[in-house]
Amino acid sequence: MTISAEALVLTGPNTLERRSFDVPDITNDTARLRIEACGLCGTDHEQYSGHISAPFSFIPGHEIIGVIDEIGPDAAAQWGVEAGDRVAVEVFRSCRQCEQCASGNYRRCIRNGLATMFGFVDAAIEPSLWGGYATHLHLPADSMLLPIPDQLDPVLATVFNPLGAGIRWGATIPNTKSGDVVAILGPGIRGLCAAVAAKEAGAEFVAMTGLGPRDADRLEMAKRFGVDLTIDVAVDDPAVALKRSTGGLADVVVDVTAKAPAAFAQAVSLARPGGTVVVAGTRGGGGTPGFDPDHVVYKELTIKGSLGVDFHAYQAAIDLLVAERWPFAELTRQVAGFDDLPALLDVLSGVDQDAIPPLHGVFSPQG
């Protein structure tokens, strides 16, 4: 019996077309996932608005939670899951054989890498079901899955992705340690997650920046996620504000802002001599106004870029969600189905200026 899947295909800027696809039969090393929820990040609305363009049509969505509908025996053995299990899907795929995968750096897999990331694959490549804006996802043999405990609600479980990012950016990459002062630029969900990661790593003091009235509620919420000082950069110089509160600058600075070219200069100004700056947000072009490279030299800064997350950070994120030490369930959240998703993406991108974006946006086929 042929199973049909429904999906939203991005065919151009601001154009999502609902289409039906045949779901392929399962082989020994593949599986079929019934999607329950897919978190939305900045990439999603940038794809939708055309800020990030592609020369092909595709099904977006890469923060995927679902239940295994059917699975081949080899796949079940490799992934350690069976039909009926709830799982999170790693956005990158791994051949598990090349030198990069063997070393654990599977994001640079020579057979996969950026070209086969879930949520970014040409819909013309069969079986087309490569993204989270759908009822079903095809899982090829090189997929990577993380089991989700039954007690974790699937919508909340999509936080595994931004929280994994926060752990990697706010703790692992900069090696945040006990007693550190950490400054985080950007009060979105990934900024909050980076704050949690820094506190979990032992940071003594965490500061967070935002911009103007639209970030006011987010900065207020940040106080519940371990942030000791919130700074509106439209009002205060962040480096001056941090010195006023701590007597010095930050050991670690994490920049998760998107399309905010001036933020990088602020990150450099916030870092103490010998400090570390992690750059995780993309600028969107336009250069880096206010940035003086000499400050990197004078301060002897370490600046690290980060693309994506990794399996270990995702697993740590799931464990942290289950522990319920932080109020992730209380984030402002909006869940949209097939019909409502374009409007939510407009809110998240800022096209709809009358609405305040939720901290957590989620697509659900049942929404």
Side-chain angles (χ1 to χ4, degrees):
M1 175 176 148
T2 301
I3 296 176
S4 180
E6 295 290 308
L8 292 174
V9 180
L10 187 66
T11 59
N14 305 301
T15 306
L16 284 168
E17 295 183 3
R18 186 165 179 170
R19 297 181 184 174
S20 295
F21 297 92
D22 289 339
V23 180
D25 292 335
I26 297 307
T27 61
N28 284 343
D29 58 358
T30 66
R32 178 178 67 250
L33 185 79
R34 176 173 53 83
I35 295 174
E36 295 181 295
C38 180
L40 307 175
C41 79
T43 302
D44 288 83
H45 62 70
E46 289 177 354
Q47 289 173 327
Y48 179 68
S49 66
H51 184 76
I52 296 176
S53 60
F56 48 77
S57 299
F58 63 101
I59 301 171
H62 58 276
E63 302 181 0
I64 302 167
I65 299 291
V67 172
I68 299 290
D69 253 0
E70 186 179 352
I71 188 169
D74 293 344
Q78 175 169 260
W79 299 330
V81 298
E82 58 187 25
D85 286 350
R86 177 172 290 128
V87 298
V89 181
E90 157 65 282
V91 62
F92 286 92
R93 289 153 57 182
S94 170
C95 73
R96 299 174 174 81
Q97 297 173 354
C98 72
E99 182 178 349
Q100 295 285 5
C101 286
S103 67
N105 196 12
Y106 60 86
R107 294 185 305 282
R108 298 179 185 172
C109 173
I110 63 172
R111 296 176 179 85
N112 290 290
L114 298 175
T116 67
M117 294 167 62
F118 286 109
F120 300 88
V121 178
D122 191 341
I125 299 174
E126 294 186 352
S128 303
L129 298 170
W130 304 113
Y133 296 2
T135 56
H136 294 80
L137 185 76
H138 175 66
L139 295 172
D142 53 10
S143 303
M144 303 179 71
L145 307 179
L146 298 101
I148 296 293
D150 290 339
Q151 68 264 38
L152 201 56
D153 175 80
V155 169
L156 179 58
T158 62
V159 176
F160 88 93
N161 187 288
L163 183 52
I167 289 170
R168 188 161 186 263
W169 303 341
T172 306
I173 289 177
N175 192 28
T176 303
K177 58 187 182 300
S178 179
D180 276 351
V181 173
V182 177
I184 298 167
L185 283 64
I189 189 170
R190 281 163 176 75
L192 298 184
C193 289
V196 165
K199 283 294 189 177
E200 289 279 329
E204 180 178 347
F205 191 93
V206 174
M208 178 173 286
T209 68
L211 175 64
R214 288 178 68 84
D215 281 343
D217 288 344
R218 293 183 172 201
L219 289 175
E220 186 63 31
M221 172 67 78
K223 298 172 184 177
R224 302 184 61 193
F225 286 83
V227 174
D228 302 287
L229 172 68
T230 59
I231 306 167
D232 182 349
V233 298
V235 177
D236 293 314
D237 180 302
V240 172
L242 183 62
K243 285 182 179 178
R244 189 164 55 235
S245 292
T246 67
L249 294 172
D251 302 287
V252 173
V253 181
V254 185
D255 179 4
V256 302
T257 59
K259 294 184 289 185
F264 183 69
Q266 295 171 358
V268 170
S269 72
L270 280 162
R272 67 162 174 80
T276 297
V277 177
V278 177
V279 183
T282 55
R283 303 285 78 104
T288 52
F291 170 56
D292 183 349
D294 287 351
H295 289 224
V296 177
V297 177
Y298 298 147
K299 287 188 174 182
E300 296 186 309
L301 298 180
T302 297
I303 298 177
K304 297 183 176 182
S306 177
L307 174 66
V309 196
D310 62 26
F311 203 81
H312 298 294
Y314 283 141
Q315 186 59 64
I318 292 168
D319 293 342
L320 196 53
L321 287 172
V322 171
E324 296 184 333
R325 287 196 292 274
W326 302 91
F328 287 106
E330 299 172 31
L331 293 172
T332 56
R333 177 175 288 111
Q334 185 173 341
V335 180
F338 285 105
D339 295 335
D340 301 329
L341 185 58
L344 177 54
L345 292 171
D346 280 341
V347 170
L348 294 172
S349 68
V351 170
D352 183 352
Q353 288 289 316
D354 295 330
I356 300 296
L359 277 162
H360 189 206
V362 181
F363 165 76
S364 173
Q366 299 80 35

